Amino acid sequence: MTSSSPTEPEEAGPSAHVADARTVIDAQLLRLSTQPSNAVLAVQFLLDLAIAALFAWLYSPGMALLWIALIAASTAWRAFFPQRLPETLDATNLSRQLRLHSTRVAVHEGVHGLAGVLLFDTADTVAQLMLGLVMMGMTLSSSFSVSYVARTMQMAIVLLLGPLILMALLFGAPPMMGLAALGAGLIVLMWGQVAERSRKLEDSIGQRHDESERRAQALIGLQAAELAQAERLRFFSAANHDLRQPVMAIGLQAEVLQHQVKEGAAPATLQSTLDALARAQSALEGLTQQLLEIGRIEAGADPLHFSAVRLGPLLDQFAQAQDGRVVRIHCPVHAVGWSDAVALRRIVANLVDNAIKFTPRNGRVLVACRRSGEGWRIEVRDNGIGIAVEEHERVFGDFEQVGNAARNLRHGHGLGLAIVRRLAQRMGTCITLRSSPGRGATFAFEVAKPSGQQTDLPLGASVDPGASEVPDTDIDTDAPMPSGLSVLVVEDNAVVAESLAALLRHWQVDVQIFGSADELLDSGIDLNLVDLALCDIRLPGGMDGVRLAHWLHRKRPKLKIALVSADIDEPARALARDRGWFALRKPMQPRALRALLLATQAGES
């Protein structure tokens, strides 16, 4: 079974909506016209019997008997063999049903119109005039009961009066010819009235249809809103639950640490408590980052920038060995895709991370890229626990995890595949899943190929997947911390500023802290004595961290600058790359901060 992330359906254009409305109106008119009307047929047949008896006495019993026999057969056909409409009338069957309806009406009304031929007495002017008046009355009574379809009713009027008018013009006395002229005028008048009545009826049906559609759309919107509200409540409830767990763990471990310090616990005991605190903090940070990422994806905060991407170098970043689990990469050296490099890397990273979590020790994870039609197919395969077919759709939901019923935070929070699904939707692709219990899982998606000049990348070129939060991964973060460094910290959150200053001072770094850009500008600090400036982007006052960084850069171009924020976006990362600055995301890891200090020292030496 293959599961995929859903895609948005295309909206029908105005012409499709008009065609659909026309079909609905015609279908409703046909249903009204074919409703059982045996009582009307019975009354009409009794009138036909009276007419036949009158003209049997005035003209010819034989002709009257022939006419009433035809009427009886037509009436029985309509009464006992009515037109059965299908349950659903649409564009595929409506035209055929309309033609059948018109044929049945034509037969019935044509038989009535034969009275103008069979009962026409060429020798008796009075009988002619009486027949003309009867046929006109029959036309007036039938025009609003035979059918609600305008074209069919107009045809019925002609079939009723046409034979009589023709006989009057050919064999009628002069008074009858005058009556025939009135009959022709009556046809024209009745055509107009039928068309007007049909137009009003169509308008009424159309209005009811539109109102019904609006009510249906409103109901769908209400149901969608209720479902979205329920999903939001479920999402925030699950987020609240998972956020409280590491927060509670941090609070408990902090209390334990406080008592251990008072009681003079052994260093090994203190280190164990500190490790537990670090794990809880790491879990809290991971969940916070994923929640922020989902929020940014749904808000479209990071625009997609499609370009030619060399897939080999991008995928090679995921080759690793972790706890006995080996991630291997297989990708043709010439593979170039057309995609947003940052989003593509995030999709693969989440899929690889998911595969590692649910693959046993000494397991294998393969990231493979191969040709597929007009593009490339990227697959992430593992030999882990696998996923049952009935769970394929569910694993892409928020806070959904298969094989982690105990909610072990070491296996994540169940948001990785939800992020993958959202990113894939934004990129216009879908994630497929092939898996069964005990046989591992294969997640796959397609990447288009660039066209023409878009493939002209230098050999071996890659696409920067985005500014790294660690300034230089080649820096040995275990190297001794250099002495004599001076760091400028501009941070409005006093707790964060104090914690950051405490860590820097522990590393023998000289620290100067300011709560805002205005406070820094008023201090008269000598920037020539500063090696690194950490600027929080969201600063109070008239100058934010980005404007402050520009000011610092103008004052001292060689000063190392790092933009710091909990929501570093792509424009901020791009600015940092262009200016040669760094970009760090809160919560800042001590290892990343240490790497930044070492990179600063390396740049000055």
Side-chain angles (χ1 to χ4, degrees):
M1 179 180 179
T2 298
S3 302
S4 62
S5 56
T7 56
E8 294 294 326
E10 294 183 1
E11 293 186 358
S15 59
H17 176 74
V18 171
D20 179 66
R22 182 70 258 175
T23 300
V24 170
I25 291 172
D26 288 344
Q28 186 63 27
L29 289 173
L30 180 58
R31 290 194 185 279
L32 290 172
S33 301
T34 56
Q35 286 178 350
S37 56
N38 290 346
V40 175
L41 288 174
V43 171
Q44 191 179 52
F45 184 68
L46 291 175
L47 293 174
D48 291 337
L49 282 174
I51 295 170
L54 175 64
F55 282 92
W57 176 61
L58 290 176
Y59 174 49
S60 170
M63 289 296 183
L65 183 61
L66 175 61
W67 180 72
I68 198 62
L70 292 174
I71 291 294
S74 173
T75 302
W77 177 48
R78 293 196 66 187
F80 298 112
F81 302 96
Q83 183 177 356
R84 305 290 185 185
L85 296 178
E87 185 175 346
T88 301
L89 284 172
D90 52 33
T92 61
N93 58 16
L94 180 59
S95 296
R96 183 170 61 84
Q97 293 296 329
L98 282 170
R99 287 195 299 271
L100 177 59
H101 171 66
S102 297
T103 301
R104 292 171 63 89
V105 170
V107 171
H108 189 67
E109 299 307 314
V111 169
H112 280 81
L114 282 177
V117 177
L118 297 177
L119 305 181
F120 192 89
D121 187 352
T122 57
D124 190 341
T125 302
V126 174
Q128 293 175 13
L129 292 174
M130 186 174 294
L131 179 62
L133 293 175
V134 167
M135 295 302 295
M136 288 183 184
M138 190 183 299
T139 301
L140 288 171
S141 65
S142 298
S143 60
F144 297 106
S145 61
V146 173
S147 176
Y148 293 98
V149 180
R151 295 186 301 274
T152 301
M153 193 59 245
Q154 289 169 342
M155 173 195 66
I157 292 171
V158 173
L159 290 175
L160 278 169
L161 283 181
L164 176 67
I165 293 173
L166 183 61
M167 290 294 292
L169 293 176
L170 293 176
F171 307 108
M176 186 59 192
M177 291 184 181
L179 188 62
L182 290 176
L186 179 63
I187 289 178
V188 174
L189 176 65
M190 293 302 296
W191 266 48
Q193 288 184 347
V194 166
E196 178 64 17
R197 183 199 66 164
S198 180
R199 184 189 63 78
K200 291 180 178 178
L201 185 57
E202 288 179 5
D203 289 344
S204 176
I205 294 173
Q207 289 175 1
R208 290 200 301 270
H209 172 65
D210 291 342
E211 291 173 1
S212 176
E213 275 202 334
R214 283 194 292 269
R215 286 195 298 269
Q217 290 295 330
L219 180 60
I220 291 173
L222 178 61
Q223 292 173 341
E226 290 175 348
L227 180 61
Q229 180 68 10
E231 284 296 316
R232 279 194 294 270
L233 288 174
R234 192 186 72 83
F235 180 88
F236 287 118
S237 176
N240 177 63
H241 174 271
D242 280 14
L243 280 169
R244 285 177 179 272
Q245 291 191 77
V247 170
M248 183 178 72
I250 290 173
L252 293 175
Q253 293 295 343
E255 181 70 18
V256 169
L257 182 61
Q258 184 178 10
H259 286 290
Q260 288 174 344
V261 170
K262 287 182 180 180
E263 296 168 2
T269 303
L270 294 174
Q271 186 59 50
S272 176
T273 304
L274 289 172
D275 290 343
L277 274 169
R279 287 193 298 271
Q281 186 273 335
S282 179
L284 180 60
E285 180 188 358
L287 177 57
T288 303
Q289 294 282 27
Q290 287 185 316
L291 291 173
L292 287 173
E293 186 169 6
I294 286 177
R296 295 187 67 82
I297 293 171
E298 294 196 339
D302 299 320
L304 297 178
H305 300 287
F306 282 79
S307 61
V309 182
R310 286 198 176 275
L311 301 178
L314 186 146
L315 298 180
D316 284 341
Q317 301 173 53
F318 300 100
Q320 59 178 292
Q322 179 177 323
D323 295 332
R325 304 172 182 88
V326 177
V327 180
R328 295 186 294 111
I329 310 297
H330 176 73
C331 181
V333 294
H334 60 280
V336 178
W338 183 254
S339 181
D340 179 275
V342 176
L344 178 60
R345 185 181 186 278
R346 287 156 74 186
I347 288 176
V348 178
N350 277 291
L351 291 177
V352 170
D353 181 64
N354 181 76
I356 291 174
K357 287 174 183 174
F358 294 98
T359 298
R361 290 181 181 275
N362 301 319
R364 301 183 306 277
V365 176
L366 173 65
V367 181
C369 176
R370 58 184 175 85
R371 289 184 180 275
S372 176
E374 297 299 318
W376 298 96
R377 180 178 176 86
I378 297 178
E379 297 181 348
V380 178
R381 310 174 191 167
D382 65 66
N383 64 341
I385 61 175
I387 304 169
V389 172
E390 59 271 17
E391 303 287 352
H392 282 194
E393 291 290 342
R394 187 169 73 87
V395 296
F396 290 98
D398 299 325
F399 295 99
E400 296 286 358
Q401 286 184 306
V402 176
N404 187 22
R407 302 295 294 171
N408 186 343
L409 295 183
R410 295 177 184 176
H411 287 169
H413 303 275
L415 290 175
L417 293 180
I419 291 172
V420 165
R421 172 177 57 85
R422 288 174 168 87
L423 285 172
Q425 286 177 335
R426 285 202 67 202
M427 294 174 65
T429 186
C430 64
I431 307 296
T432 61
L433 168 59
R434 187 175 68 253
S435 180
S436 59
R439 301 182 64 111
T442 299
F443 292 86
F445 62 97
E446 305 262 338
V447 176
K449 288 182 180 179
S451 59
Q453 68 274 14
Q454 295 170 345
T455 61
D456 296 335
L457 288 176
L459 183 62
S462 180
V463 178
D464 183 6
S468 173
E469 294 182 8
V470 179
D472 188 346
T473 55
D474 294 331
I475 294 292
D476 181 9
T477 53
D478 294 326
M481 184 63 67
S483 60
L485 281 179
S486 177
V487 176
L488 176 67
V489 177
V490 188
E491 167 64 62
D492 63 315
N493 188 299
V495 175
V496 173
E498 290 171 4
S499 301
L500 191 56
L503 180 60
L504 290 172
R505 288 175 183 138
H506 176 72
W507 287 339
Q508 307 300 314
V509 174
D510 181 43
V511 185
Q512 298 183 70
I513 298 177
F514 299 93
S516 67
D518 294 335
E519 185 178 331
L520 170 64
L521 297 179
D522 294 339
S523 68
I525 186 174
D526 186 357
L527 295 178
N528 292 315
L529 301 178
V530 178
D531 301 300
L532 172 65
L534 301 177
C535 300
D536 183 67
I537 291 181
R538 294 181 179 272
L539 292 176
M543 181 181 289
D544 62 14
V546 174
R547 294 180 61 191
L548 176 61
H550 281 292
W551 182 84
L552 293 170
H553 186 76
R554 287 195 302 271
K555 291 295 182 179
R556 189 183 170 203
K558 292 185 178 181
L559 176 64
K560 297 294 184 181
I561 298 174
L563 298 176
V564 182
S565 179
D567 55 354
I568 290 283
D569 55 14
E570 183 54 32
R573 287 194 292 264
L575 174 63
R577 284 196 298 269
D578 293 342
R579 292 285 184 172
W581 302 340
F582 301 116
L584 294 178
R585 186 188 295 274
K586 291 181 179 178
M588 190 189 312
Q589 291 297 311
R591 186 177 181 84
L593 181 58
R594 186 180 181 91
L596 178 58
L597 294 174
L598 292 171
T600 301
Q601 178 65 19
E604 293 180 352
S605 60

